[in-house]
Amino acid sequence: IRFLPLYNYADWSPENPPAVAFPPGSNYRGMQVRPLPTAEAFLDGLFRKLHPGATNVNVLERDPMREMVEGYQKQYGQMSAGLRQIGIPPDHYDAAGLTLEYDDGGVRYRQGLMVVIVDARGGAFSWRNERTLALRAPAAEAAAWKPVLDTIRQTQRLNPQWVAQVNRHVNERIRMAMETQQYLQRVEREIYEHRAQTHAQIRHDSYLFITGQQEFVNPF
């Protein structure tokens, strides 16, 4: 059983201004730049990363885990309403579970994977994986190992100080990303205003030239 860490990723998409300067694979404010995947696609990639030597892979079940998404929506409903009130799109959630069997190192395994993808692109150009879990046992013994792994999973205890530190750093990263977004918007606005002033001056000078006029007055 593996409890995999939460990672914050900077989203890459043509709609996001930072995407031009930070292509996929680069680093944006400490986050790897990576396009937002579906929860299923994330698990497919995670499996290949965890078990690159797996062969004869057979997917037994794909579960959208709607109850997990509903739980997140209920837990963060008040925060989402607050974000809407100040004009910031709230987070969106996508979850998935994957059950498969495969051969690895001469053993036939049964594997369970799950994840919740939190889409925070609306407010911070980022997304993250949460509750990422990987369980496996030899396929012939999976039925006997399942209650043991379920007990381990359901009785875990998190260190509250560690959780508080994670939340503090997540909030700090979101704040920095929002400041960057506001800076980029301000720069775009200033560029537009300067371009508009330049075009207006060009049009005015052209008008004076065509009509044979000039604004210059010789002071002597």
Side-chain angles (χ1 to χ4, degrees), residues 7-40:
Y7 281 103
N8 289 280
Y9 297 93
D11 175 60
W12 185 94
S13 64
E15 292 78 17
N16 288 343
V20 178
F22 298 93
S26 61
N27 186 285
Y28 175 70
R29 291 195 173 274
M31 298 179 288
Q32 182 188 26
V33 179
R34 180 177 173 185
L36 173 70
T38 64
E40 283 194 8

PDB file of all heavy atoms in Angstrom, residues 7-40:
ATOM      1  N   TYR A   7       0.854  16.808  -5.064  1.00  0.00           N
ATOM      2  CA  TYR A   7       1.707  17.734  -5.821  1.00  0.00           C
ATOM      3  C   TYR A   7       0.838  18.822  -6.446  1.00  0.00           C
ATOM      4  O   TYR A   7      -0.260  18.548  -6.943  1.00  0.00           O
ATOM      5  CB  TYR A   7       2.472  17.014  -6.933  1.00  0.00           C
ATOM      6  CG  TYR A   7       3.686  16.256  -6.453  1.00  0.00           C
ATOM      7  CD1 TYR A   7       3.660  14.873  -6.312  1.00  0.00           C
ATOM      8  CD2 TYR A   7       4.872  16.925  -6.145  1.00  0.00           C
ATOM      9  CE1 TYR A   7       4.775  14.174  -5.868  1.00  0.00           C
ATOM     10  CE2 TYR A   7       5.980  16.230  -5.698  1.00  0.00           C
ATOM     11  CZ  TYR A   7       5.931  14.855  -5.569  1.00  0.00           C
ATOM     12  OH  TYR A   7       7.028  14.173  -5.120  1.00  0.00           O
ATOM     13  N   ASN A   8       1.352  20.041  -6.401  1.00  0.00           N
ATOM     14  CA  ASN A   8       0.719  21.147  -7.107  1.00  0.00           C
ATOM     15  C   ASN A   8       1.386  21.299  -8.466  1.00  0.00           C
ATOM     16  O   ASN A   8       2.615  21.364  -8.553  1.00  0.00           O
ATOM     17  CB  ASN A   8       0.864  22.446  -6.316  1.00  0.00           C
ATOM     18  CG  ASN A   8       0.001  22.464  -5.072  1.00  0.00           C
ATOM     19  OD1 ASN A   8      -1.205  22.717  -5.149  1.00  0.00           O
ATOM     20  ND2 ASN A   8       0.605  22.179  -3.934  1.00  0.00           N
ATOM     21  N   TYR A   9       0.575  21.351  -9.508  1.00  0.00           N
ATOM     22  CA  TYR A   9       1.073  21.523 -10.870  1.00  0.00           C
ATOM     23  C   TYR A   9       0.554  22.847 -11.426  1.00  0.00           C
ATOM     24  O   TYR A   9      -0.588  23.244 -11.164  1.00  0.00           O
ATOM     25  CB  TYR A   9       0.601  20.390 -11.785  1.00  0.00           C
ATOM     26  CG  TYR A   9       1.117  19.027 -11.397  1.00  0.00           C
ATOM     27  CD1 TYR A   9       0.371  18.191 -10.566  1.00  0.00           C
ATOM     28  CD2 TYR A   9       2.344  18.572 -11.859  1.00  0.00           C
ATOM     29  CE1 TYR A   9       0.842  16.933 -10.208  1.00  0.00           C
ATOM     30  CE2 TYR A   9       2.820  17.306 -11.509  1.00  0.00           C
ATOM     31  CZ  TYR A   9       2.056  16.505 -10.683  1.00  0.00           C
ATOM     32  OH  TYR A   9       2.525  15.253 -10.327  1.00  0.00           O
ATOM     33  N   ALA A  10       1.393  23.531 -12.187  1.00  0.00           N
ATOM     34  CA  ALA A  10       0.950  24.715 -12.922  1.00  0.00           C
ATOM     35  C   ALA A  10       0.311  24.241 -14.222  1.00  0.00           C
ATOM     36  O   ALA A  10       0.890  23.444 -14.955  1.00  0.00           O
ATOM     37  CB  ALA A  10       2.127  25.645 -13.211  1.00  0.00           C
ATOM     38  N   ASP A  11      -0.894  24.715 -14.463  1.00  0.00           N
ATOM     39  CA  ASP A  11      -1.605  24.260 -15.656  1.00  0.00           C
ATOM     40  C   ASP A  11      -1.012  24.877 -16.915  1.00  0.00           C
ATOM     41  O   ASP A  11      -0.579  26.027 -16.923  1.00  0.00           O
ATOM     42  CB  ASP A  11      -3.084  24.626 -15.558  1.00  0.00           C
ATOM     43  CG  ASP A  11      -3.842  24.285 -16.830  1.00  0.00           C
ATOM     44  OD1 ASP A  11      -3.865  23.098 -17.212  1.00  0.00           O
ATOM     45  OD2 ASP A  11      -4.393  25.197 -17.475  1.00  0.00           O
ATOM     46  N   TRP A  12      -0.981  24.080 -17.977  1.00  0.00           N
ATOM     47  CA  TRP A  12      -0.577  24.603 -19.280  1.00  0.00           C
ATOM     48  C   TRP A  12      -1.754  24.463 -20.232  1.00  0.00           C
ATOM     49  O   TRP A  12      -2.264  23.368 -20.466  1.00  0.00           O
ATOM     50  CB  TRP A  12       0.610  23.844 -19.858  1.00  0.00           C
ATOM     51  CG  TRP A  12       1.103  24.465 -21.148  1.00  0.00           C
ATOM     52  CD1 TRP A  12       2.097  25.374 -21.280  1.00  0.00           C
ATOM     53  CD2 TRP A  12       0.590  24.254 -22.467  1.00  0.00           C
ATOM     54  NE1 TRP A  12       2.246  25.750 -22.591  1.00  0.00           N
ATOM     55  CE2 TRP A  12       1.334  25.080 -23.355  1.00  0.00           C
ATOM     56  CE3 TRP A  12      -0.423  23.461 -22.990  1.00  0.00           C
ATOM     57  CZ2 TRP A  12       1.092  25.116 -24.717  1.00  0.00           C
ATOM     58  CZ3 TRP A  12      -0.671  23.504 -24.350  1.00  0.00           C
ATOM     59  CH2 TRP A  12       0.090  24.322 -25.210  1.00  0.00           C
ATOM     60  N   SER A  13      -2.189  25.592 -20.767  1.00  0.00           N
ATOM     61  CA  SER A  13      -3.215  25.598 -21.809  1.00  0.00           C
ATOM     62  C   SER A  13      -3.114  26.926 -22.537  1.00  0.00           C
ATOM     63  O   SER A  13      -2.690  27.927 -21.953  1.00  0.00           O
ATOM     64  CB  SER A  13      -4.621  25.400 -21.223  1.00  0.00           C
ATOM     65  OG  SER A  13      -4.963  26.481 -20.387  1.00  0.00           O
ATOM     66  N   PRO A  14      -3.497  26.978 -23.807  1.00  0.00           N
ATOM     67  CA  PRO A  14      -3.375  28.229 -24.575  1.00  0.00           C
ATOM     68  C   PRO A  14      -4.159  29.380 -23.963  1.00  0.00           C
ATOM     69  O   PRO A  14      -3.847  30.541 -24.217  1.00  0.00           O
ATOM     70  CB  PRO A  14      -3.943  27.837 -25.949  1.00  0.00           C
ATOM     71  CG  PRO A  14      -3.771  26.349 -26.025  1.00  0.00           C
ATOM     72  CD  PRO A  14      -3.967  25.855 -24.626  1.00  0.00           C
ATOM     73  N   GLU A  15      -5.186  29.073 -23.134  1.00  0.00           N
ATOM     74  CA  GLU A  15      -5.990  30.131 -22.554  1.00  0.00           C
ATOM     75  C   GLU A  15      -5.276  30.851 -21.417  1.00  0.00           C
ATOM     76  O   GLU A  15      -5.705  31.932 -21.007  1.00  0.00           O
ATOM     77  CB  GLU A  15      -7.322  29.562 -22.033  1.00  0.00           C
ATOM     78  CG  GLU A  15      -8.263  29.075 -23.130  1.00  0.00           C
ATOM     79  CD  GLU A  15      -7.848  27.721 -23.674  1.00  0.00           C
ATOM     80  OE1 GLU A  15      -7.045  27.039 -22.998  1.00  0.00           O
ATOM     81  OE2 GLU A  15      -8.316  27.347 -24.773  1.00  0.00           O
ATOM     82  N   ASN A  16      -4.224  30.244 -20.877  1.00  0.00           N
ATOM     83  CA  ASN A  16      -3.521  30.842 -19.744  1.00  0.00           C
ATOM     84  C   ASN A  16      -2.306  31.626 -20.218  1.00  0.00           C
ATOM     85  O   ASN A  16      -1.422  31.066 -20.859  1.00  0.00           O
ATOM     86  CB  ASN A  16      -3.076  29.757 -18.759  1.00  0.00           C
ATOM     87  CG  ASN A  16      -4.249  29.170 -18.005  1.00  0.00           C
ATOM     88  OD1 ASN A  16      -5.327  29.740 -17.968  1.00  0.00           O
ATOM     89  ND2 ASN A  16      -4.042  28.018 -17.398  1.00  0.00           N
ATOM     90  N   PRO A  17      -2.217  32.932 -19.899  1.00  0.00           N
ATOM     91  CA  PRO A  17      -1.065  33.747 -20.334  1.00  0.00           C
ATOM     92  C   PRO A  17       0.290  33.157 -19.976  1.00  0.00           C
ATOM     93  O   PRO A  17       1.213  33.205 -20.796  1.00  0.00           O
ATOM     94  CB  PRO A  17      -1.308  35.087 -19.627  1.00  0.00           C
ATOM     95  CG  PRO A  17      -2.778  35.156 -19.431  1.00  0.00           C
ATOM     96  CD  PRO A  17      -3.211  33.741 -19.167  1.00  0.00           C
ATOM     97  N   PRO A  18       0.510  32.574 -18.771  1.00  0.00           N
ATOM     98  CA  PRO A  18       1.849  32.045 -18.467  1.00  0.00           C
ATOM     99  C   PRO A  18       2.275  30.898 -19.375  1.00  0.00           C
ATOM    100  O   PRO A  18       3.455  30.563 -19.436  1.00  0.00           O
ATOM    101  CB  PRO A  18       1.706  31.552 -17.012  1.00  0.00           C
ATOM    102  CG  PRO A  18       0.566  32.332 -16.460  1.00  0.00           C
ATOM    103  CD  PRO A  18      -0.378  32.497 -17.607  1.00  0.00           C
ATOM    104  N   ALA A  19       1.311  30.281 -20.080  1.00  0.00           N
ATOM    105  CA  ALA A  19       1.648  29.124 -20.910  1.00  0.00           C
ATOM    106  C   ALA A  19       2.637  29.483 -22.010  1.00  0.00           C
ATOM    107  O   ALA A  19       3.406  28.633 -22.456  1.00  0.00           O
ATOM    108  CB  ALA A  19       0.369  28.532 -21.519  1.00  0.00           C
ATOM    109  N   VAL A  20       2.610  30.743 -22.458  1.00  0.00           N
ATOM    110  CA  VAL A  20       3.500  31.150 -23.538  1.00  0.00           C
ATOM    111  C   VAL A  20       4.961  31.075 -23.089  1.00  0.00           C
ATOM    112  O   VAL A  20       5.839  30.629 -23.829  1.00  0.00           O
ATOM    113  CB  VAL A  20       3.142  32.583 -23.998  1.00  0.00           C
ATOM    114  CG1 VAL A  20       4.108  33.033 -25.088  1.00  0.00           C
ATOM    115  CG2 VAL A  20       1.711  32.637 -24.492  1.00  0.00           C
ATOM    116  N   ALA A  21       5.226  31.489 -21.864  1.00  0.00           N
ATOM    117  CA  ALA A  21       6.603  31.552 -21.370  1.00  0.00           C
ATOM    118  C   ALA A  21       7.034  30.288 -20.632  1.00  0.00           C
ATOM    119  O   ALA A  21       8.225  30.077 -20.436  1.00  0.00           O
ATOM    120  CB  ALA A  21       6.762  32.755 -20.448  1.00  0.00           C
ATOM    121  N   PHE A  22       6.070  29.449 -20.228  1.00  0.00           N
ATOM    122  CA  PHE A  22       6.396  28.257 -19.439  1.00  0.00           C
ATOM    123  C   PHE A  22       5.780  27.024 -20.100  1.00  0.00           C
ATOM    124  O   PHE A  22       4.650  26.649 -19.788  1.00  0.00           O
ATOM    125  CB  PHE A  22       5.872  28.408 -18.005  1.00  0.00           C
ATOM    126  CG  PHE A  22       6.475  29.562 -17.254  1.00  0.00           C
ATOM    127  CD1 PHE A  22       5.857  30.803 -17.250  1.00  0.00           C
ATOM    128  CD2 PHE A  22       7.660  29.412 -16.552  1.00  0.00           C
ATOM    129  CE1 PHE A  22       6.401  31.878 -16.562  1.00  0.00           C
ATOM    130  CE2 PHE A  22       8.217  30.473 -15.861  1.00  0.00           C
ATOM    131  CZ  PHE A  22       7.584  31.702 -15.876  1.00  0.00           C
ATOM    132  N   PRO A  23       6.506  26.375 -21.010  1.00  0.00           N
ATOM    133  CA  PRO A  23       5.966  25.205 -21.703  1.00  0.00           C
ATOM    134  C   PRO A  23       5.908  23.995 -20.778  1.00  0.00           C
ATOM    135  O   PRO A  23       6.515  23.997 -19.696  1.00  0.00           O
ATOM    136  CB  PRO A  23       6.976  24.987 -22.840  1.00  0.00           C
ATOM    137  CG  PRO A  23       8.257  25.554 -22.308  1.00  0.00           C
ATOM    138  CD  PRO A  23       7.848  26.741 -21.472  1.00  0.00           C
ATOM    139  N   PRO A  24       5.174  22.937 -21.163  1.00  0.00           N
ATOM    140  CA  PRO A  24       5.105  21.730 -20.338  1.00  0.00           C
ATOM    141  C   PRO A  24       6.500  21.180 -20.022  1.00  0.00           C
ATOM    142  O   PRO A  24       7.387  21.168 -20.862  1.00  0.00           O
ATOM    143  CB  PRO A  24       4.312  20.756 -21.214  1.00  0.00           C
ATOM    144  CG  PRO A  24       3.465  21.641 -22.060  1.00  0.00           C
ATOM    145  CD  PRO A  24       4.311  22.846 -22.349  1.00  0.00           C
ATOM    146  N   GLY A  25       6.681  20.782 -18.758  1.00  0.00           N
ATOM    147  CA  GLY A  25       7.968  20.265 -18.308  1.00  0.00           C
ATOM    148  C   GLY A  25       8.841  21.293 -17.627  1.00  0.00           C
ATOM    149  O   GLY A  25       9.788  20.937 -16.932  1.00  0.00           O
ATOM    150  N   SER A  26       8.524  22.589 -17.802  1.00  0.00           N
ATOM    151  CA  SER A  26       9.296  23.635 -17.146  1.00  0.00           C
ATOM    152  C   SER A  26       8.781  23.835 -15.725  1.00  0.00           C
ATOM    153  O   SER A  26       7.884  23.140 -15.260  1.00  0.00           O
ATOM    154  CB  SER A  26       9.218  24.937 -17.950  1.00  0.00           C
ATOM    155  OG  SER A  26       7.878  25.385 -18.044  1.00  0.00           O
ATOM    156  N   ASN A  27       9.357  24.823 -15.037  1.00  0.00           N
ATOM    157  CA  ASN A  27       9.011  25.082 -13.642  1.00  0.00           C
ATOM    158  C   ASN A  27       8.419  26.470 -13.522  1.00  0.00           C
ATOM    159  O   ASN A  27       9.001  27.443 -13.995  1.00  0.00           O
ATOM    160  CB  ASN A  27      10.257  24.945 -12.761  1.00  0.00           C
ATOM    161  CG  ASN A  27       9.944  25.056 -11.285  1.00  0.00           C
ATOM    162  OD1 ASN A  27       9.688  26.134 -10.772  1.00  0.00           O
ATOM    163  ND2 ASN A  27       9.974  23.926 -10.598  1.00  0.00           N
ATOM    164  N   TYR A  28       7.249  26.571 -12.899  1.00  0.00           N
ATOM    165  CA  TYR A  28       6.572  27.850 -12.706  1.00  0.00           C
ATOM    166  C   TYR A  28       6.281  28.016 -11.220  1.00  0.00           C
ATOM    167  O   TYR A  28       5.451  27.314 -10.659  1.00  0.00           O
ATOM    168  CB  TYR A  28       5.271  27.886 -13.508  1.00  0.00           C
ATOM    169  CG  TYR A  28       4.434  29.130 -13.278  1.00  0.00           C
ATOM    170  CD1 TYR A  28       4.845  30.373 -13.751  1.00  0.00           C
ATOM    171  CD2 TYR A  28       3.216  29.053 -12.601  1.00  0.00           C
ATOM    172  CE1 TYR A  28       4.079  31.497 -13.561  1.00  0.00           C
ATOM    173  CE2 TYR A  28       2.444  30.169 -12.397  1.00  0.00           C
ATOM    174  CZ  TYR A  28       2.872  31.387 -12.883  1.00  0.00           C
ATOM    175  OH  TYR A  28       2.108  32.506 -12.674  1.00  0.00           O
ATOM    176  N   ARG A  29       7.048  28.888 -10.544  1.00  0.00           N
ATOM    177  CA  ARG A  29       6.878  29.157  -9.120  1.00  0.00           C
ATOM    178  C   ARG A  29       6.922  27.872  -8.284  1.00  0.00           C
ATOM    179  O   ARG A  29       6.086  27.644  -7.410  1.00  0.00           O
ATOM    180  CB  ARG A  29       5.589  29.925  -8.850  1.00  0.00           C
ATOM    181  CG  ARG A  29       5.621  31.353  -9.370  1.00  0.00           C
ATOM    182  CD  ARG A  29       4.497  32.187  -8.783  1.00  0.00           C
ATOM    183  NE  ARG A  29       4.648  33.598  -9.161  1.00  0.00           N
ATOM    184  CZ  ARG A  29       5.381  34.467  -8.490  1.00  0.00           C
ATOM    185  NH1 ARG A  29       6.049  34.074  -7.432  1.00  0.00           N
ATOM    186  NH2 ARG A  29       5.452  35.723  -8.879  1.00  0.00           N
ATOM    187  N   GLY A  30       7.897  27.029  -8.590  1.00  0.00           N
ATOM    188  CA  GLY A  30       8.076  25.804  -7.821  1.00  0.00           C
ATOM    189  C   GLY A  30       7.177  24.662  -8.238  1.00  0.00           C
ATOM    190  O   GLY A  30       7.252  23.568  -7.657  1.00  0.00           O
ATOM    191  N   MET A  31       6.341  24.864  -9.244  1.00  0.00           N
ATOM    192  CA  MET A  31       5.424  23.817  -9.707  1.00  0.00           C
ATOM    193  C   MET A  31       5.808  23.359 -11.109  1.00  0.00           C
ATOM    194  O   MET A  31       6.155  24.184 -11.957  1.00  0.00           O
ATOM    195  CB  MET A  31       3.981  24.336  -9.727  1.00  0.00           C
ATOM    196  CG  MET A  31       3.446  24.758  -8.380  1.00  0.00           C
ATOM    197  SD  MET A  31       1.738  25.383  -8.461  1.00  0.00           S
ATOM    198  CE  MET A  31       1.998  26.974  -9.274  1.00  0.00           C
ATOM    199  N   GLN A  32       5.741  22.070 -11.330  1.00  0.00           N
ATOM    200  CA  GLN A  32       5.964  21.560 -12.683  1.00  0.00           C
ATOM    201  C   GLN A  32       4.792  21.959 -13.571  1.00  0.00           C
ATOM    202  O   GLN A  32       3.630  21.853 -13.172  1.00  0.00           O
ATOM    203  CB  GLN A  32       6.086  20.032 -12.667  1.00  0.00           C
ATOM    204  CG  GLN A  32       6.367  19.446 -14.050  1.00  0.00           C
ATOM    205  CD  GLN A  32       6.301  17.929 -14.071  1.00  0.00           C
ATOM    206  OE1 GLN A  32       5.621  17.328 -13.253  1.00  0.00           O
ATOM    207  NE2 GLN A  32       7.014  17.321 -14.985  1.00  0.00           N
ATOM    208  N   VAL A  33       5.095  22.457 -14.764  1.00  0.00           N
ATOM    209  CA  VAL A  33       4.055  22.850 -15.706  1.00  0.00           C
ATOM    210  C   VAL A  33       3.568  21.605 -16.435  1.00  0.00           C
ATOM    211  O   VAL A  33       4.356  20.869 -17.034  1.00  0.00           O
ATOM    212  CB  VAL A  33       4.582  23.893 -16.711  1.00  0.00           C
ATOM    213  CG1 VAL A  33       3.501  24.275 -17.714  1.00  0.00           C
ATOM    214  CG2 VAL A  33       5.080  25.128 -15.977  1.00  0.00           C
ATOM    215  N   ARG A  34       2.258  21.374 -16.375  1.00  0.00           N
ATOM    216  CA  ARG A  34       1.687  20.151 -16.934  1.00  0.00           C
ATOM    217  C   ARG A  34       0.212  20.373 -17.246  1.00  0.00           C
ATOM    218  O   ARG A  34      -0.518  20.916 -16.425  1.00  0.00           O
ATOM    219  CB  ARG A  34       1.844  19.012 -15.932  1.00  0.00           C
ATOM    220  CG  ARG A  34       1.293  17.670 -16.379  1.00  0.00           C
ATOM    221  CD  ARG A  34       1.588  16.618 -15.316  1.00  0.00           C
ATOM    222  NE  ARG A  34       0.950  15.351 -15.624  1.00  0.00           N
ATOM    223  CZ  ARG A  34       0.963  14.285 -14.827  1.00  0.00           C
ATOM    224  NH1 ARG A  34       1.611  14.358 -13.667  1.00  0.00           N
ATOM    225  NH2 ARG A  34       0.345  13.175 -15.155  1.00  0.00           N
ATOM    226  N   PRO A  35      -0.248  19.972 -18.431  1.00  0.00           N
ATOM    227  CA  PRO A  35      -1.669  20.151 -18.751  1.00  0.00           C
ATOM    228  C   PRO A  35      -2.548  19.353 -17.789  1.00  0.00           C
ATOM    229  O   PRO A  35      -2.181  18.269 -17.332  1.00  0.00           O
ATOM    230  CB  PRO A  35      -1.786  19.612 -20.187  1.00  0.00           C
ATOM    231  CG  PRO A  35      -0.397  19.652 -20.731  1.00  0.00           C
ATOM    232  CD  PRO A  35       0.517  19.416 -19.570  1.00  0.00           C
ATOM    233  N   LEU A  36      -3.709  19.897 -17.478  1.00  0.00           N
ATOM    234  CA  LEU A  36      -4.645  19.224 -16.580  1.00  0.00           C
ATOM    235  C   LEU A  36      -5.182  17.962 -17.232  1.00  0.00           C
ATOM    236  O   LEU A  36      -5.787  18.017 -18.293  1.00  0.00           O
ATOM    237  CB  LEU A  36      -5.800  20.163 -16.231  1.00  0.00           C
ATOM    238  CG  LEU A  36      -6.944  19.540 -15.432  1.00  0.00           C
ATOM    239  CD1 LEU A  36      -6.487  19.235 -14.004  1.00  0.00           C
ATOM    240  CD2 LEU A  36      -8.156  20.464 -15.411  1.00  0.00           C
ATOM    241  N   PRO A  37      -4.988  16.771 -16.607  1.00  0.00           N
ATOM    242  CA  PRO A  37      -5.543  15.535 -17.148  1.00  0.00           C
ATOM    243  C   PRO A  37      -6.867  15.195 -16.476  1.00  0.00           C
ATOM    244  O   PRO A  37      -7.223  15.778 -15.442  1.00  0.00           O
ATOM    245  CB  PRO A  37      -4.476  14.504 -16.762  1.00  0.00           C
ATOM    246  CG  PRO A  37      -4.008  14.988 -15.412  1.00  0.00           C
ATOM    247  CD  PRO A  37      -4.108  16.508 -15.447  1.00  0.00           C
ATOM    248  N   THR A  38      -7.601  14.264 -17.029  1.00  0.00           N
ATOM    249  CA  THR A  38      -8.726  13.698 -16.294  1.00  0.00           C
ATOM    250  C   THR A  38      -8.170  12.805 -15.190  1.00  0.00           C
ATOM    251  O   THR A  38      -6.994  12.420 -15.219  1.00  0.00           O
ATOM    252  CB  THR A  38      -9.624  12.867 -17.212  1.00  0.00           C
ATOM    253  OG1 THR A  38      -8.872  11.733 -17.704  1.00  0.00           O
ATOM    254  CG2 THR A  38     -10.109  13.702 -18.403  1.00  0.00           C
ATOM    255  N   ALA A  39      -9.000  12.488 -14.218  1.00  0.00           N
ATOM    256  CA  ALA A  39      -8.546  11.616 -13.128  1.00  0.00           C
ATOM    257  C   ALA A  39      -8.128  10.244 -13.673  1.00  0.00           C
ATOM    258  O   ALA A  39      -7.133   9.664 -13.236  1.00  0.00           O
ATOM    259  CB  ALA A  39      -9.644  11.468 -12.081  1.00  0.00           C
ATOM    260  N   GLU A  40      -8.874   9.724 -14.642  1.00  0.00           N
ATOM    261  CA  GLU A  40      -8.528   8.424 -15.236  1.00  0.00           C
ATOM    262  C   GLU A  40      -7.182   8.488 -15.942  1.00  0.00           C
ATOM    263  O   GLU A  40      -6.354   7.583 -15.808  1.00  0.00           O
ATOM    264  CB  GLU A  40      -9.622   7.969 -16.211  1.00  0.00           C
ATOM    265  CG  GLU A  40     -10.854   7.405 -15.542  1.00  0.00           C
ATOM    266  CD  GLU A  40     -11.745   6.663 -16.537  1.00  0.00           C
ATOM    267  OE1 GLU A  40     -11.310   6.475 -17.694  1.00  0.00           O
ATOM    268  OE2 GLU A  40     -12.863   6.282 -16.154  1.00  0.00           O
TER     269      GLU A  40
END
